[in-house]
Amino acid sequence: MKPYLSRDEKEYFIRLSAMMVLLEEAITSYAKAKSTDKEFLKLLRTGRTNLQKALQLRGSALEPSAKQEFLKQSGRLEFMCMPKPEALKANKELLQLRSVLPMKIQDFEDWYSVVIEGTCKVCQRQDYAECQARRVMTDYGVYPVNPEATTTCQYSYIDDEPQGVGIVGDAMLKAMQGRAAG
């Protein structure tokens, strides 16, 4: 082994030393927990022992001046985990996904057909610009029933004739229309 640490090796040696400290903390924490698997704890301790031996072996190969320089430089460092640019981008995308509800096209079409039929078909709102269903359909590019409408909601398709109420109401409405014509 070389009697000094190259720049890259120094970085790895610092990381391994920091890992040793973190591993010691993890072992202490797991040892306190009653639910920790004994085999798991044994393997953690074995890993700590092997890492410690590896660090000691590499450290013993260093010249005294190289050891002193490493200790001096590493004493000025504080261990921090910083995300790489790729990790930052992935995290940003993940946060954006958490604010969006993914929905299959078929499910969305089913939803808006129910909204159109159950809400828009009978809607007579004067404040249609404030309608949440209209806002969602506009945001997602649902083609309106009446795109040229300016004084009513573009998704409304109320006939000019009065609306009946169910089968009985429709039959009564037709009967009244037949008397008026006759």
Side-chain angles (χ1 to χ4, degrees):
M1 279 192 230
K2 296 181 289 186
Y4 61 91
L5 295 172
S6 68
R7 184 171 186 257
D8 289 340
E9 191 179 7
K10 192 180 297 181
E11 182 180 329
Y12 290 126
F13 202 74
I14 289 171
R15 287 182 182 178
L16 290 172
S17 299
M19 191 182 303
M20 184 70 186
V21 172
L22 294 173
L23 184 56
E24 187 63 46
E25 290 175 5
I27 290 171
T28 303
S29 177
Y30 278 119
K32 289 179 185 176
K34 294 179 181 179
S35 62
T36 303
D37 182 31
K38 292 185 187 320
E39 183 66 20
F40 174 72
L41 195 55
K42 176 184 166 191
L43 292 173
L44 281 179
R45 288 179 175 145
T46 302
R48 174 187 59 192
T49 302
N50 288 330
L51 180 57
Q52 190 174 23
K53 286 179 181 179
L55 289 172
Q56 286 172 349
L57 178 66
R58 183 61 184 112
S60 67
L62 296 176
E63 292 179 349
S65 61
K67 278 185 192 179
Q68 285 296 356
E69 184 62 26
F70 173 76
L71 291 173
K72 186 171 129 183
Q73 288 179 357
S74 64
R76 290 181 264 174
L77 300 175
E78 184 174 335
F79 183 71
M80 292 175 56
C81 293
M82 298 294 294
K84 292 182 178 182
E86 297 84 16
L88 288 172
K89 182 180 176 189
N91 188 45
K92 184 179 178 182
E93 290 171 359
L94 181 64
L95 290 175
Q96 287 175 340
L97 286 176
R98 287 183 179 170
S99 67
V100 175
L101 173 67
M103 185 182 273
K104 294 178 191 172
I105 298 278
Q106 182 62 46
D107 290 344
F108 181 76
E109 289 172 348
D110 291 346
W111 173 82
Y112 83 76
S113 67
V114 169
V115 169
I116 291 280
E117 189 65 29
T119 303
C120 300
K121 186 175 183 178
V122 295
C123 178
Q124 295 181 1
R125 289 179 67 156
Q126 297 301 316
D127 64 340
Y128 61 89
E130 305 299 318
C131 177
Q132 291 176 344
R134 179 180 179 269
R135 179 193 57 80
V136 170
M137 289 187 285
T138 302
D139 287 351
Y140 287 94
V142 175
Y143 190 76
V145 175
N146 184 5
E148 287 83 29
T150 55
T151 59
T152 62
C153 177
Q154 295 87 353
Y155 294 96
S156 176
Y157 59 101
I158 296 178
D159 296 332
D160 292 336
E161 299 176 12
Q163 297 292 315
V165 181
I167 297 171
V168 175
D170 287 342
M172 289 175 57
L173 180 63
K174 287 180 185 177
M176 290 180 1
Q177 288 173 344
R179 285 186 196 152

